[in-house]
Amino acid sequence: MDKNFIVFETNRLDKFLSLHIDASRNQIEQLIKKGFVSVDGKKTIKTGLKLKENQEIKVNFPEAEISQVKNEDFIKDSLKDKDVKVIYEDEHILVVNKPYNLTVHDAPSVKDATLVDWLKLKNISLSTISGEERHGIVHRLDKGTSGVMVVAKTNEAHLKLSKQLEDKSMGRYYLAIIDLPLKENTIIEKPIARNPNNRLKMAIVENGRYAKSAFNKIALSKNEKYELIAAKLFTGRTHQIRVHISSINRHILGDNLYGFKGELNKINRFYLHAYSLYLYHPITNEKMNFKADIPQDMNNFLIQYFNMENLDEQLDENHIISSFSNFS
């Protein structure tokens, strides 16, 4: 997929492309640095190149591909207890329910197989615009967070979905169980950065990146000690929900990293689940909504402590979404 443009006024190359293609700033930077952009027939890797009037810009988008996988036996063994469920698939996108304890993509510290490894093992064509380790990945979830994710199977789909992330026309609603009920529905706007005293954690830091989250009350436990809440993110910072909820002295059950000290020893992970995803199909522009079933252990806890059998039937997805309608 190639696109050609004529420069009508002076500008930086990266800024010019941001005005003419549906891609995030990071993706535009990667396209340039990886040699997919030409100016007057010559490839350039200078993102800040000063353009002149009447120059011709060509963007040669890389093709999506089925990439070589790691050792197949290693992947199968690593993922044997992690059931990735496909919610929706067509030739452009794949929507999955990611299990907890599964890392989305490779990093130097990652030792096990990842969701990207699983996708490649299934011979799924994936976008390549975000680099080898992140093929197909438009947005991510923490390793310990379960729930709904969309994967781009083509570069065109990836670019358009990334644009939706930026303009907030795509997003998710989360469910979490916390150790102390909220006093009321609330919005938290506090900057987040790496914790200066613990590199494994993020923290509220005065000069950190702007972050905004909304939290709504859903249901109290039978003993009124715990609460099921819904969360919506307006920004996408690492560990954002966990950091913001702990900043008001609430903690997600099982989240020992951010201060949970409850007596529920049987919980071996934190109860945070990306429940609902909304987006516009990157090709047809159809508005779409997807729901990821709540994991069995979290569902069992809600049945035991909240007396909520058949939780997916009782939870009104549209009600959760509409409950955030006054938040902006």
Side-chain angles (χ1 to χ4, degrees):
M1 181 179 66
D2 297 340
K3 288 191 176 183
N4 296 279
F5 309 96
I6 299 296
V7 179
F8 291 105
E9 58 183 15
T10 58
N11 205 341
R12 283 172 50 118
L13 178 59
D14 52 359
K15 290 185 177 180
F16 174 85
L17 290 178
S18 71
L19 298 172
H20 291 85
I21 63 176
D22 288 332
S24 68
R25 285 171 293 185
N26 179 64
Q27 288 170 340
I28 288 171
E29 184 177 292
Q30 292 301 312
L31 282 171
I32 298 170
K33 289 182 176 181
K34 292 180 179 180
F36 294 112
V37 179
S38 299
V39 179
D40 288 339
K42 296 182 179 180
K43 289 184 179 180
T44 180
I45 58 172
K46 296 180 179 179
T47 58
L49 181 69
K50 296 293 179 62
L51 301 177
K52 301 175 183 177
E53 290 185 27
N54 297 318
Q55 285 187 303
E56 183 179 351
I57 311 300
K58 181 178 181 180
V59 182
N60 178 24
F61 291 100
E63 293 294 324
E65 61 185 45
I66 297 174
S67 305
Q68 185 176 4
V69 300
K70 297 176 184 176
N71 180 278
E72 186 173 330
D73 290 335
F74 163 75
I75 296 174
K76 288 181 177 179
D77 184 63
S78 182
L79 299 178
K80 64 182 178 181
D81 297 321
K82 302 178 180 70
D83 183 19
V84 181
K85 294 182 179 178
V86 174
I87 299 172
Y88 172 85
E89 183 177 11
D90 62 27
E91 61 185 308
H92 308 287
I93 63 173
L94 175 74
V95 180
V96 300
N97 185 352
K98 184 190 85 69
Y100 69 89
N101 202 30
L102 175 62
T103 304
V104 171
H105 59 74
D106 260 333
S109 60
V110 175
K111 306 301 180 186
D112 295 328
T114 66
L115 176 63
V116 171
D117 292 325
W118 180 87
L119 293 165
K120 292 178 178 179
L121 188 65
K122 297 294 183 180
N123 291 322
I124 295 171
S125 179
L126 299 171
S127 67
T128 55
I129 202 164
S130 290
E132 176 67 31
E133 293 177 346
R134 302 188 183 195
H135 282 184
I137 302 304
V138 179
H139 57 180
R140 58 183 293 277
L141 290 171
D142 294 338
K143 178 179 180 180
T145 304
S146 57
V148 63
M149 290 181 58
V150 62
V151 174
K153 298 176 73 173
T154 69
N155 285 317
E156 182 180 7
H158 196 137
L159 289 167
K160 292 181 177 180
L161 290 172
S162 294
K163 199 69 175 179
Q164 290 182 40
L165 275 180
E166 286 193 345
D167 65 22
K168 305 298 188 293
S169 56
M170 175 169 73
R172 285 177 290 204
Y173 296 92
Y174 295 76
L175 293 175
I177 307 174
I178 57 176
D179 58 1
L180 182 66
L182 297 174
K183 293 180 180 179
E184 59 186 358
N185 294 343
T186 186
I187 288 180
I188 298 176
E189 292 184 78
K190 296 178 181 179
I192 292 175
R194 185 68 59 183
N195 188 317
N197 301 314
N198 184 343
R199 300 299 295 173
L200 296 177
K201 300 174 62 175
M202 306 300 286
I204 304 300
V205 179
E206 184 177 352
N207 296 319
R209 299 179 69 188
Y210 172 76
K212 178 180 178 181
S213 310
F215 299 97
N216 276 3
K217 300 163 69 71
I218 300 296
L220 279 174
S221 62
K222 289 181 283 187
N223 62 8
E224 299 188 353
K225 182 175 181 179
Y226 313 120
E227 186 169 43
L228 175 67
I229 64 170
K232 176 178 171 59
L233 301 182
F234 296 89
T235 52
R237 310 300 172 226
T238 301
H239 297 182
Q240 181 172 321
I241 290 175
R242 301 161 67 189
V243 173
H244 271 174
I245 203 70
S246 67
S247 75
I248 57 171
N249 199 32
R250 271 75 178 166
H251 311 94
I252 298 173
L253 298 192
D255 192 1
N256 302 312
L257 184 63
Y258 286 98
F260 174 70
K261 294 182 173 65
E263 70 281 5
L264 301 171
N265 296 323
K266 293 182 180 179
I267 299 177
N268 58 8
R269 58 101 174 193
F270 52 89
Y271 283 161
L272 176 62
H273 178 70
Y275 182 63
S276 174
L277 167 72
Y278 59 92
L279 56 82
Y280 290 88
H281 192 281
I283 307 303
T284 67
N285 206 38
E286 175 190 359
K287 188 171 184 179
M288 307 180 82
N289 289 277
F290 304 99
K291 184 183 72 173
D293 290 341
I294 296 171
Q296 191 62 50
D297 60 342
M298 189 171 170
N299 189 74
N300 290 343
F301 183 91
L302 288 166
I303 292 171
Q304 179 180 353
Y305 288 89
F306 287 72
N307 196 26
M308 297 177 72
E309 296 185 16
N310 301 316
L311 180 66
D312 282 330
E313 295 178 11
Q314 293 185 40
L315 273 175
D316 185 340
E317 181 182 7
N318 292 325
H319 171 71
I320 292 174
I321 294 172
S322 64
S323 72
F324 289 96
S325 60
N326 293 327
F327 291 167
S328 60

